[in-house]
Amino acid sequence: MAIDVLVVDDEGDIRGMVSGLLEDEGYSVAVAANADAALKRVAEDKPSVIVLDVWLEGSRLDGIQLLPEIRALLPEAVILMMSGHADIETAVKAIQDGAYDFIEKPFAADRIIISVKRAAEAAALRRENAALRERSLADWSLVGASPVIQALKSQIQRLAEVNSRVLIVGPSGAGKEVIARSIHAASPRGKGPFVAVNCAGIRPDTMEAALFGEHLPSGDIADGLLLSADGGVLLLDEVADMPLQTQAKMLRVIQEQTFTPVGGAAPQSVDIRVMASTSRDLKALAREGAFREDLYFRLNVVPIAAPPLTSRLEDVPVLVDYFMTRAALAGQPPRRLSESAVAALQAHSWPGNVRQLRNVVEWLLIMAPGGVDDEIGVEALPADILRDDPGALLAERREEIINLPLKEARELFERNYLTLQIARAGGNVSKTAKAVGMERSALHRKLRVLNIGDGNEEES
């Protein structure tokens, strides 16, 4: 049974009285007489609330010394200190070291009950916040183990160590914001705010007020997104859609870290790291005059590419498992996909990239027939994905195939089959050869004959 409260006191009468009071209130209570017993209980039972006496006679550590040990072992626990001999200085030190409250002995029963109730509520809030943080971080995880993703993670780690501006380019749905958030989370600014501005989603006539804030008729100033990002990161998502007039003002923000609210005169200072993302060719837009060239060069200090899903199809099974796990966190039971279904997903062209794959997984959890324990087969996949499956492609060309000589029909099947297998292996010929049961040299020859690639793919 989970322990709600741990009472740590060297006096048996106090342990018995406090535990009895709390048990009568419905709490599950454990007790400990010294530091070592308390640490053992904390490690094993992970109590939500710890009532800790300052003076632990005969103990290796007293309560003040034990407090940081407990906090290191169980940061989410809420600790109430109590003592009949403490002075104001001791109480202040306990609070500074992380105690939630300080209770003087002798105490009334109502005092200890109310204090534990408030501490339990605080502990529940801490657990909820921790779960939200964990879920938030998981939402922005860069998932995959392909060579492309491994190289990208290495780039992210290097960029996290500096404060340079970053321009993230790549197709829609490839994870540009995930990359930006990953850089931020690993950087010294990681505890600061991360503000993503969707430049394509804000009306041009309201963008400056949204970014810089504005003076209201009342005389007050409505803060903009720049102030919200102070001390952290501002991501200009789809920056190509920012109006030219606003681009000129953003250039000043980048150069001087200052801005002026709309309708105001006094400049304001901020400390922000600017990142930008785009699915368009900013350099070409700059040549055409559709994007400020000086802003392009300011943003493009370190370019980084978000890879399309087709460049890392070996990550598809891992991504499917990840999205299934995310669905479970949202209260929806995950399910398994058959090998054939996963193979069909790896054969798809994925114009919407990882975002599209996530949507397909969510669709399958809602629409696929069968129960939670039933495997999702290839027949349950959406029609547009099935059309890319080599088996389905051959079925669509059935009449054509029937009229082909055996050699050409076999070549057609082998070309579709091996193209899929190479995609599943991320272009690695050795992995493909192992998967299809061929010698590597024989597969190279077959690829040349079928004119798949050049038959000399790089090993990864």
Side-chain angles (χ1 to χ4, degrees):
M1 181 173 63
I3 300 298
D4 297 320
V5 184
L6 173 65
V7 179
V8 185
D9 198 299
D10 60 296
E11 297 182 56
D13 291 345
I14 298 294
R15 293 197 302 272
M17 182 188 71
V18 174
S19 61
L21 283 172
L22 297 177
E23 285 170 350
D24 289 344
E25 294 296 315
Y27 295 102
S28 173
V29 185
V31 297
N34 55 55
D36 292 329
L39 290 172
K40 185 173 185 295
R41 277 291 193 177
V42 169
E44 292 177 354
D45 300 328
K46 295 180 170 51
S48 299
V49 178
I50 299 168
V51 181
L52 175 61
D53 188 31
V54 169
W55 307 104
L56 296 176
E57 189 173 347
S59 175
R60 180 174 59 87
L61 303 172
D62 64 26
I64 295 295
Q65 294 168 325
L66 183 57
L67 175 59
E69 299 266 342
I70 292 175
R71 282 179 51 77
L73 191 61
L74 191 65
E76 64 270 25
V78 176
I79 303 172
L80 297 172
M81 302 296 294
M82 61 179 181
S83 175
H85 314 284
D87 55 22
I88 295 297
E89 185 178 343
T90 303
V92 170
K93 177 169 175 50
I95 300 297
Q96 288 176 338
D97 288 347
Y100 178 75
D101 198 0
F102 198 97
I103 304 169
E104 290 187 79
K105 297 179 184 176
F107 45 76
D110 287 349
R111 171 77 167 98
I112 192 74
I113 290 170
I114 291 171
S115 294
V116 169
K117 180 183 177 183
R118 289 174 177 168
E121 291 171 350
L125 185 60
R126 285 185 186 181
R127 288 194 301 271
E128 183 180 344
N129 288 339
L132 287 172
R133 282 195 302 270
E134 183 179 347
R135 185 176 299 180
S136 176
L137 288 173
D139 282 338
W140 303 107
S141 297
L142 192 62
V143 177
S146 63
V148 171
I149 290 299
Q150 289 175 349
L152 182 56
K153 287 179 178 178
S154 178
Q155 286 181 287
I156 287 171
Q157 190 56 49
R158 290 197 297 273
L159 288 172
E161 296 169 359
V162 297
N163 201 42
S164 303
R165 290 179 293 279
V166 179
L167 178 62
I168 306 167
V169 299
S172 177
K176 295 186 289 295
E177 186 173 344
V178 173
I179 292 172
R181 287 183 179 271
S182 297
I183 294 170
H184 173 59
S187 75
R189 293 177 178 264
K191 293 184 179 179
F194 181 98
V195 178
V197 182
N198 182 2
C199 297
I202 301 176
R203 294 203 326 267
D205 59 325
T206 63
M207 183 167 289
E208 289 188 17
L211 283 171
F212 309 126
E214 63 177 328
H215 276 263
L216 301 175
S218 63
D220 295 329
I221 298 178
D223 291 340
L225 295 170
L226 286 179
L227 273 184
S228 299
D230 192 22
V233 165
L234 180 76
L235 172 66
L236 301 173
D237 187 28
E238 293 302 337
V239 68
D241 290 294
M242 180 180 286
L244 285 169
Q245 181 178 347
T246 309
Q247 290 178 31
K249 295 185 177 181
M250 273 306 305
L251 188 63
R252 180 185 176 188
V253 174
I254 292 172
Q255 291 172 331
E256 303 175 11
Q257 295 278 291
T258 62
F259 67 94
T260 303
V262 175
Q268 298 189 33
S269 298
V270 285
D271 172 24
I272 56 175
R273 180 180 187 179
V274 176
M275 300 186 195
S277 68
T278 182
S279 56
R280 299 165 67 185
D281 187 343
L282 280 191
K283 190 174 183 179
L285 291 174
R287 284 197 302 266
E288 297 165 5
F291 193 85
R292 288 185 65 102
E293 189 174 46
D294 48 3
L295 180 58
Y296 166 70
F297 287 119
R298 288 287 182 180
L299 294 174
N300 194 37
V301 175
V302 183
I304 186 170
L309 186 53
T310 48
S311 71
R312 57 184 190 107
L313 289 172
E314 63 266 50
D315 286 332
V316 166
V318 182
L319 286 164
V320 169
D321 289 343
Y322 172 76
F323 292 134
M324 286 289 183
T325 302
R326 298 299 309 146
L329 287 175
Q332 197 163 11
R335 294 178 63 182
R336 299 184 314 277
L337 268 66
S338 69
E339 289 188 12
S340 297
V342 173
L345 293 178
Q346 289 179 298
H348 190 53
S349 57
W350 297 112
N353 295 291
V354 177
R355 184 187 296 129
Q356 183 187 2
L357 176 61
R358 181 191 64 199
N359 293 341
V360 167
V361 171
E362 292 177 1
W363 183 89
L364 287 171
L365 288 172
I366 297 169
M367 302 300 295
V372 173
D373 296 327
D374 296 324
E375 199 173 60
I376 297 177
V378 66
E379 68 283 350
L381 296 178
D384 62 325
I385 291 175
L386 287 176
R387 281 196 296 270
D388 279 353
D389 180 64
L393 289 171
L394 294 174
E396 288 180 3
R397 301 173 65 177
R398 183 169 176 267
E399 291 187 11
E400 176 188 346
I401 293 169
I402 288 174
N403 293 319
L404 288 175
L406 175 61
K407 182 175 181 297
E408 292 182 24
R410 185 172 63 237
E411 286 181 357
L412 179 62
F413 170 79
E414 288 179 342
R415 186 175 293 108
N416 280 276
Y417 173 75
L418 290 176
T419 299
L420 167 63
Q421 295 298 342
I422 288 172
R424 293 182 68 187
N428 188 299
V429 177
S430 296
K431 288 182 181 178
T432 306
K434 185 176 180 180
V436 303
M438 293 179 68
E439 292 291 334
R440 180 172 168 276
S441 57
L443 178 58
H444 271 294
R445 289 194 297 273
K446 175 64 72 175
L447 295 176
R448 283 195 293 271
V449 169
L450 296 173
N451 195 27
I452 299 175
D454 59 7
N456 293 296
E457 286 83 350
E458 294 290 330
E459 300 300 323
S460 55

